[in-house]
Amino acid sequence: MNMTLPSNWSGSPMKQKLHVLKKLTILSFFMVFLSTVAYAQTVVKGVIYDSDKAPLAGATIQVAGTNTRTQSDAEGKYQITAPSPTSRLTVSFVGFETQTVSINNQAILNITLASLNNLDAVVVVGYASVRKSDLTGAATTVSAKDFNKGPLNAPDQLIQGKVAGVQMINNSGQPGGASTVRIRGNSAITGTGQPLYVVDGVALDGRSARPSTSAGIGTAPDGNPLNFINPADIESMEILKDASATAIYGSRAAYGVVLITTKRGKSGDTKIDFSASAGVSNIARRVDVLSGDEYRAALTKYNLANGNFGTSVDALDEITRTAYNQNYSVGISGGANGNTFRASLGYQDQQGIIKTTDFKKYSAGFNGNFKFLESKKLGLDINMISNQYLEKIAPITTDAGFTGSLISQALSWNPTQSFYKPDGNLFIDYGSTTINPLAALAANDDKAKVSTILGSVSPYYKITPWLEYRMLASVNYSTGIRRASTRSFLNLQGIQPSGSFLGGYASYSNSELITQQFTNTLNFNKEIATKLNLNAIIGYEYSNFINKGTTNTATGFGEIAADYTDAFQTTAPANRTFSAFNNPTTELQSYFARAIFNYDNRYILTATFRADGSTKFGKSNRYGYFPSFAAAWDIKKEAFMANTEWLDQLKLRVGYGKTGNQDFPSGSAQQRYDFGNSNGAPTLVAINNANPNLKWQSDVQTNVGVDFAFMKNRFTGSVDYFHKETNDLLFPQISFVPAVGGNVPTWVNLPGQIINKGIELTLNGNIVETDNISWSLGGNATFIKNKVQNINGIIKTGSLNGQGLSGVTTEVIQNGLPLFAMVTRQYNGLDANGFSLYTDDGFTNYYVGNPNPKVIMGLSTNFRYKKLSFTANFNGAFGQSIYNNTANSVLAISNLGTRNISSALVSLPVAESLANPIAASSRYIEKGDYVKLANATLNYNFGNIGKSIKALNVYINGQNLFVITKYTGFDPEVNVNKSVSGVPSAGIDYTAYPTARTFNFGVNFSL
């Protein structure tokens, strides 16, 4: 500060000089004060990061004790003015721990936020993400570190036994085979009853493009529609169970929703993740049939002179093998300045334990997250999954008759009969209905190829830090080709030569599935009043579904030196068929909204609404409306709980809502016809009758739950009670009087309800946690009851097949009974002459079995000592019945002398008569209770090796290591499709592909 004295200063009187000095002193003190204040106003700049050093956009930075606040920009940058260089900044962001730091005279202050613990992690709940602490519905997240390990084909296998209320069944041991996933019980009387799967925001069709036609020997088991996803590319799976969580998906959410999130790239240096494994598989359990010596003893016991061919063979050993598998996966990821990417490649080669069977999968994926403009408010997310898998399929069917399919042919093969003639050629007994299983394998050639690409682009614009618009456009295209043939040398009726018929059968089929989805959402997340936050979303969605395909079949090839499917032209025109289909395109138009009000992190209210319009339904009921409401109270955050230090969370949840179901054929509400030909002229054949009043099937569900955590979150858990009621049941009703266009089905809404209610329990604990030793244990159990009420009449399903069982069913949908209750003759043992005794002489059928488990459970444990760790995963089910159709028709006592029988039949207290008729009865209903060690892994973590190799892990993994059960079939975890006219079944076992026990050695690391 410069001051100039007056020019006459030296000549001024002393008094005047003192007066001037006084003013100058006051002015100087004033200027110094202003300078000090100005200097104390500190400007601080910096970047807010997450733990992976990725910038966090939208984090709130506030000067502690003041109202001064700002938010980080799209690159995580911020600038704020503090009153003092010793002030403190408080930084907060959803899903991360709030952090308070001192400025300490720093002009640049970069701050890294740590993710919140599991209680407050961010979870995907449909079209958006919320904090787990804000959830009011029943939802469970399973992350990659908790997935089941091993050579798994599809994502649903990753979560088996991991989630309360979720039962996952591998329908058979076939590699790539279908599975059954039920969330909170079984309520489907048509369709699959499977949950809706959503991959990175794209809802899947739920069907497989693999054609269903086989090699002319029956209906082949289905493939898994999720095979196109590489399990190694999945980051997490979110299972939405109650209506509060699922109602945002409306008409497709009746059976629950599974949200699959794939792995994403992170900012930083480019990273390469690599994993590889190889292993061997063998049959896990066998069905007990007689050996050669035991068979000869049985012939002697029954005084049979014929049937002993003098040798001893094991047919099941002959058709099975030690199978090998190998799996490779590589991922490349990285990014900078908020732009990230990840690309991946995968290869899987899994031999089946049945000879000639195989499953190969090639997969590739890419996703990118990019930000544009200087403000970084404009973004674009890109995702692509491409996959092709190849199957070699065994001649195993779900509905084989007396001559059987491969498994029944092997089980029933006379163990004293050689498979080969003296000249070394296969023994084929022409004129007999007994099929040599090795000949069946040699004659069969069944190959499928399914190619899928799922692509989506999602641009978004962050209008403000609390308001974002997002659009998603996606296409899911899948095509399947299947070539199947059976050579003419096999002695099967319709296959073997006869007269001028040369024999042989072939089919060539292709199928296309196309789904398009366009979604627009507006997401709002802001504190709208003191302590009151609103997280809301509104959206519009349009989807369409296309399914079309063709099938060619031909017979009468003879023994030509070519693949039958390459030589259709060699057959007589009269022996060929050609058919094509193009189902009506289904269109789905939806409007939806959800609002989550959170007051003081203690009181949470969620309201959801969705309106769906579908062309599947009648003109009078084209739209369905699906609301839900839920509330949560975090009791632990109340003042009266403040001193309860041992308790970390106590949260009460209550929810109610309605969801829908449209899992039935396209065009079912319309009058539909198929094209045909009669005497050279085109014809129309009715498929179904119109019903303009057909409306949505709906599920109304109530949920009450409690989440808790204690001892510094070492123990966490939840308890849920649910009550789910399914109404307006969709059903293809066939009139006894021929309707217009013929006696074809009319889809109607049946009166009545399916009730599922129960209790879910989950408890996870870190029992020991030290630097060198840790032990964690987690378990879940679900207690569930199922009942049908107010349905008129009886709906039959659960068809049985095999000798003596043509046209027989064993399950019903009937008032007062569980869904698919087993109703048949009540078996009371054998009389003195070895004949079956039945209640009321077998003229009355009784309710004798329930295929729905009363309890399902899962148990996981992990023990670590320094770098060595062991993980084991168990699952089980109790209270369910299994109908053993294999024992009923394939291994009956009447076989003795020509075919093999069950070992149990020769040790009965009363010798069963060879003339005892084969009949369906409770004799073949067995307890299906089991506990299975499904997955176990021993892992050694070497850590970083040198400067290049990071996080090196080597492991040994086992699958299906043992099962504790009294069931006599291959595996109590079985569900062969025995539907009747589109009505599904449950808990029936019929000559299914056996389960494999697998051991793998693997390694994974990063570069």
Side-chain angles (χ1 to χ4, degrees):
M1 180 175 64
N2 297 319
M3 292 184 291
T4 303
L5 295 174
S7 59
N8 61 346
W9 168 259
S10 60
S12 300
M14 181 60 66
K15 185 176 181 179
Q16 185 178 358
K17 290 180 179 179
L18 290 173
H19 179 70
V20 172
L21 287 171
K22 182 180 178 180
K23 287 185 175 182
L24 289 174
T25 302
I26 293 173
L27 179 61
S28 297
F29 275 113
F30 180 70
M31 295 299 292
V32 170
F33 174 75
L34 289 178
S35 177
T36 302
V37 171
Y39 178 78
Q41 292 284 337
T42 301
V43 177
V44 183
K45 301 178 180 180
V47 181
I48 309 300
Y49 295 104
D50 65 13
S51 57
D52 295 315
K53 289 301 178 183
L56 289 176
T60 299
I61 303 95
Q62 181 174 359
V63 178
T66 74
N67 292 324
T68 303
R69 68 173 66 185
T70 188
Q71 284 192 325
S72 57
D73 63 17
E75 294 180 329
K77 297 178 180 178
Y78 75 94
Q79 178 176 313
I80 195 168
T81 301
S84 166
T86 60
S87 297
R88 294 166 63 83
L89 299 182
T90 299
V91 186
S92 61
F93 190 73
V94 173
F96 292 80
E97 293 181 359
T98 298
Q99 189 175 157
T100 301
V101 297
S102 177
I103 295 175
N104 285 334
N105 294 303
Q106 299 177 81
I108 298 177
L109 183 58
N110 297 327
I111 301 169
T112 299
L113 298 184
S115 297
L116 288 166
N117 59 42
N118 188 53
L119 297 177
D120 275 322
V122 173
V123 295
V124 180
V125 292
Y127 302 101
S129 300
V130 301
R131 292 186 305 171
K132 189 170 183 179
S133 59
D134 288 348
L135 285 178
T136 54
T140 300
T141 300
V142 183
S143 60
K145 66 181 180 63
D146 297 318
F147 287 159
N148 292 319
K149 304 297 189 294
L152 306 176
N153 304 123
D156 48 9
Q157 298 170 320
L158 297 171
I159 59 172
Q160 185 179 34
K162 297 290 185 179
V163 182
V166 178
Q167 183 185 25
M168 186 272 173
I169 301 171
N170 290 298
N171 292 354
S172 73
Q174 174 184 318
S179 62
T180 298
V181 178
R182 298 189 183 114
I183 298 179
R184 292 187 165 180
N186 199 349
S187 58
I189 69 167
T190 54
T192 65
Q194 301 277 68
L196 171 68
Y197 291 91
V198 181
V199 180
D200 294 327
V202 179
L204 302 184
D205 179 274
R207 294 174 289 180
S208 171
R210 191 187 82 171
S212 59
T213 52
S214 65
I217 57 172
T219 304
D222 295 329
N224 194 320
L226 300 178
N227 280 336
F228 76 95
I229 303 173
N230 183 359
D233 286 338
I234 297 177
E235 181 68 30
S236 66
M237 296 176 69
E238 184 82 14
I239 297 87
L240 311 182
K241 296 184 286 187
D242 75 332
S244 171
T246 62
I248 194 74
Y249 289 102
S251 65
R252 304 172 68 187
Y255 305 128
V257 179
V258 178
L259 307 178
I260 298 174
T261 301
T262 58
K263 293 177 180 177
R264 293 286 184 267
K266 296 179 181 179
S267 291
D269 295 336
T270 301
K271 178 184 179 183
I272 300 176
D273 298 313
F274 179 81
S275 64
S277 69
V280 296
S281 301
N282 292 98
I283 190 169
R285 294 179 82 236
R286 300 171 60 94
V287 172
D288 288 333
V289 294
L290 298 181
S291 66
D293 290 339
E294 291 170 337
Y295 195 82
R296 281 183 278 270
L299 293 175
T300 301
K301 178 179 179 179
Y302 277 87
N303 296 316
L304 294 176
N306 297 321
N308 180 9
F309 294 93
T311 188
S312 292
V313 298
D314 189 323
L316 197 60
D317 273 353
E318 291 295 324
I319 67 167
T320 58
R321 64 181 173 185
T322 296
Y324 299 94
N325 72 79
Q326 52 183 327
N327 296 267
Y328 305 95
S329 182
V330 61
I332 304 173
S333 62
N337 300 321
N339 298 313
T340 61
F341 74 94
R342 185 178 187 272
S344 65
L345 294 172
Y347 171 72
Q348 180 179 32
D349 183 359
Q350 183 176 354
Q351 290 183 338
I353 58 171
I354 299 293
K355 291 178 180 178
T356 75
T357 61
D358 189 32
F359 180 87
K360 291 183 179 179
K361 179 160 71 172
Y362 307 86
S363 59
F366 175 82
N367 60 65
N369 309 99
F370 307 103
K371 295 180 180 178
F372 306 95
L373 306 179
E374 185 176 352
S375 64
K376 304 297 184 182
K377 290 184 176 181
L378 178 65
L380 177 66
D381 295 340
I382 299 175
N383 191 69
M384 185 195 73
I385 298 172
S386 60
N387 175 280
Q388 184 178 89
Y389 67 84
L390 310 173
E391 285 183 278
K392 293 181 180 178
I393 304 168
I396 296 174
T397 68
T398 63
D399 56 0
F402 175 69
T403 52
S405 62
L406 182 66
I407 298 300
S408 59
Q409 291 158 1
L411 290 176
S412 62
W413 182 257
N414 186 329
T416 70
Q417 171 74 61
S418 174
F419 300 110
Y420 299 94
K421 295 186 292 187
D423 61 5
N425 291 318
L426 287 168
F427 171 73
I428 300 175
D429 190 5
Y430 292 106
S432 166
T433 57
T434 299
I435 311 297
N436 183 338
L438 298 189
L441 268 181
N444 177 76
D445 186 8
D446 191 349
K447 299 184 292 288
K449 178 172 70 175
V450 179
S451 304
T452 302
I453 183 166
L454 170 63
S456 68
V457 293
S458 180
Y460 64 91
Y461 186 76
K462 208 167 186 64
I463 302 168
T464 70
W466 42 265
L467 184 65
E468 179 182 285
Y469 165 76
R470 181 179 289 270
M471 189 270 279
L472 182 144
S474 71
V475 175
N476 186 4
Y477 177 81
S478 186
T479 181
I481 298 173
R482 188 165 181 175
R483 295 170 174 263
S485 63
T486 302
R487 305 294 296 193
S488 62
F489 63 76
L490 193 66
N491 58 320
L492 270 176
Q493 186 176 2
I495 301 292
Q496 66 183 2
S498 177
S500 61
F501 176 63
L502 299 177
Y505 176 94
S507 67
Y508 177 94
S509 305
N510 67 68
S511 176
E512 281 185 296
L513 286 171
I514 307 170
T515 302
Q516 297 174 310
Q517 176 183 319
F518 303 92
T519 307
N520 293 269
T521 58
L522 193 63
N523 201 321
F524 178 98
N525 190 0
K526 181 179 175 60
E527 186 176 342
I528 58 176
T530 303
K531 296 184 178 181
L532 179 62
N533 190 84
L534 172 61
N535 185 338
I537 188 170
I538 59 173
Y540 168 80
E541 188 169 84
Y542 169 83
S543 303
N544 60 47
F545 309 88
I546 299 169
N547 184 20
K548 55 186 176 181
T550 61
T551 298
N552 303 324
T553 68
T555 58
F557 293 88
E559 281 306 305
I560 60 173
D563 185 327
Y564 284 173
T565 60
D566 292 329
F568 278 75
Q569 64 273 20
T570 65
T571 62
N575 291 346
R576 305 174 200 161
T577 67
F578 179 83
S579 63
F581 70 93
N582 189 349
N583 290 337
T585 298
T586 297
E587 297 180 279
L588 180 65
Q589 179 174 260
S590 310
Y591 305 87
F592 55 88
R594 179 181 60 224
I596 303 174
F597 294 90
N598 182 330
Y599 179 75
D600 198 24
N601 290 319
R602 288 185 293 166
Y603 313 110
I604 306 165
L605 178 65
T606 302
T608 305
F609 180 79
R610 181 164 178 136
D612 278 333
S614 173
T615 56
K616 279 189 174 183
F617 291 94
K619 294 181 179 179
S620 304
N621 293 291
R622 185 112 332 151
Y623 274 85
Y625 304 97
F626 308 98
S628 77
F629 305 93
W633 176 26
D634 197 335
I635 304 170
K636 178 60 177 69
K637 293 186 178 179
E638 296 292 345
F640 61 82
M641 296 290 287
N643 295 325
T644 313
E645 296 182 357
W646 61 272
L647 185 65
D648 301 295
Q649 186 191 39
L650 183 61
K651 179 180 174 182
L652 176 66
R653 295 175 283 105
V654 179
Y656 170 86
K658 180 180 180 182
T659 54
N661 169 37
Q662 55 167 331
D663 184 15
F664 68 109
S666 174
S668 294
Q670 307 168 21
Q671 184 71 46
R672 286 190 63 202
Y673 296 91
D674 196 4
F675 292 107
N677 188 282
S678 178
N679 297 321
T683 61
L684 292 177
V685 180
I687 298 175
N688 59 251
N689 297 313
N691 181 2
N693 297 315
L694 187 67
K695 61 182 179 180
W696 303 80
Q697 180 174 306
S698 64
D699 277 40
V700 176
Q701 187 172 174
T702 302
N703 191 91
V704 180
V706 176
D707 301 323
F708 55 86
F710 52 92
M711 294 182 66
K712 296 183 178 181
N713 294 317
R714 287 183 62 185
F715 296 91
T716 62
S718 63
V719 180
D720 281 83
Y721 167 80
F722 63 90
H723 184 283
K724 182 169 67 171
E725 180 178 298
T726 306
N727 301 282
D728 298 321
L729 306 168
L730 291 166
F731 184 73
Q733 191 172 69
I734 298 178
S735 174
F736 290 107
V737 178
V740 177
N743 197 17
V744 296
T746 302
W747 281 83
V748 298
N749 297 103
L750 292 180
Q753 298 84 36
I754 310 295
I755 306 295
N756 285 280
K757 59 182 179 180
I759 295 175
E760 298 172 351
L761 306 174
T762 301
L763 182 62
N764 298 295
N766 294 318
I767 300 171
V768 178
E769 189 66 52
T770 67
D771 290 341
N772 291 329
I773 298 176
S774 66
W775 177 35
S776 63
L777 184 65
N780 65 79
T782 304
F783 304 86
I784 188 167
K785 292 183 178 180
N786 175 285
K787 186 174 72 171
V788 177
Q789 63 184 32
N790 300 325
I791 285 183
N792 298 325
I794 298 174
I795 300 171
K796 294 183 178 182
T797 186
S799 63
L800 301 182
N801 292 100
Q803 184 179 5
L805 297 176
S806 298
V808 176
T809 62
T810 190
E811 294 182 339
V812 300
I813 302 173
Q814 182 178 341
N815 273 347
L817 298 180
L819 193 63
F820 310 130
M822 295 176 177
V823 174
T824 185
R825 298 176 183 87
Q826 190 168 55
Y827 176 73
N828 296 320
L830 299 173
D831 65 14
N833 297 316
F835 288 89
S836 297
L837 293 170
Y838 303 109
T839 302
D840 194 25
D841 291 331
F843 290 107
T844 304
N845 289 338
Y846 294 88
Y847 166 49
V848 286
N850 178 7
N852 304 291
K854 296 177 181 177
V855 181
I856 56 177
M857 58 79 67
L859 181 68
S860 300
T861 187
N862 178 274
F863 179 81
R864 177 187 61 84
Y865 175 70
K866 294 185 177 180
K867 294 185 176 184
L868 183 68
S869 63
F870 174 76
T871 302
N873 299 302
F874 297 82
N875 68 75
F878 307 92
Q880 76 276 20
S881 301
I882 298 175
Y883 195 98
N884 194 336
N885 191 174
T886 305
N888 190 173
S889 63
V890 177
L891 302 174
I893 192 67
S894 56
N895 284 358
L896 193 61
T898 55
R899 303 184 184 193
N900 211 341
I901 63 173
S902 170
S903 297
L905 298 182
V906 297
S907 58
L908 296 174
V910 176
E912 184 173 0
S913 171
L914 298 179
N916 192 23
I918 293 175
S921 75
S922 62
R923 178 182 186 179
Y924 304 103
I925 295 177
E926 302 183 39
K927 289 185 177 181
D929 300 356
Y930 74 91
V931 174
K932 178 184 289 189
L933 177 53
N935 201 282
T937 303
L938 183 65
N939 180 88
Y940 190 83
N941 179 14
F942 287 93
N944 297 340
I945 306 295
K947 295 182 178 180
S948 300
I949 299 177
K950 300 176 182 178
L952 173 64
N953 284 276
V954 176
Y955 64 88
I956 299 173
N957 168 265
Q959 292 178 280
N960 298 315
L961 295 178
F962 67 81
V963 60
I964 302 172
T965 185
K966 293 183 178 180
Y967 180 61
T968 60
F970 287 123
D971 195 337
E973 183 190 328
V974 65
N975 186 32
V976 176
N977 181 4
K978 306 296 289 181
S979 61
V980 174
S981 301
V983 180
S985 62
I988 298 179
D989 185 6
Y990 184 54
T991 65
Y993 194 117
T995 299
R997 179 181 293 112
T998 304
F999 293 94
N1000 297 281
F1001 174 79
V1003 59
N1004 52 65
F1005 58 87
S1006 299
L1007 298 174

